[in-house]
Amino acid sequence: MPTEWILENPGTFIGMMPKKFFRFWGMDGEGEWGYQAGTTWYGQHAKWFRSVRVINQIYYFLLLGGFAVAIWKLLRTPAKPAMYYGLVIAIYFTL
């Protein structure tokens, strides 16, 4: 059982949190893998697929940056409880 391993190795489990956090929030260009595996003409247009993936990744990191700024502002300004729902959902899925 995974929970047994966690209970036996709590330090290792906690030490893996930054990696897990990055893997969850870090990359968003995995759609290219489907084209690599299932498209016969991928090789002919690989630079275009990769270019779109890089643009997508830049856009995604900008969105994450905006989300971080929004969280920072939300935590510094008193708000109605409903304003925290998105933050609670993000924390839940991250954990």
Side-chain angles (χ1 to χ4, degrees), residues 55-68:
I55 291 168
N56 173 61
Q57 202 61 47
I58 291 168
Y59 175 70
Y60 180 69
F61 280 128
L62 289 172
L63 286 176
L64 285 179
F67 183 58

Side-chain angles (χ1 to χ4, degrees), residues 31-69:
E32 182 184 10
W33 298 342
Y35 290 107
Q36 288 173 337
T39 305
T40 56
W41 40 268
Y42 175 83
Q44 299 167 346
H45 305 286
K47 73 175 184 175
W48 293 107
F49 281 101
R50 184 56 45 99
S51 298
V52 169
R53 182 177 181 179
V54 168
I55 291 168
N56 173 61
Q57 202 61 47
I58 291 168
Y59 175 70
Y60 180 69
F61 280 128
L62 289 172
L63 286 176
L64 285 179
F67 183 58
V69 169

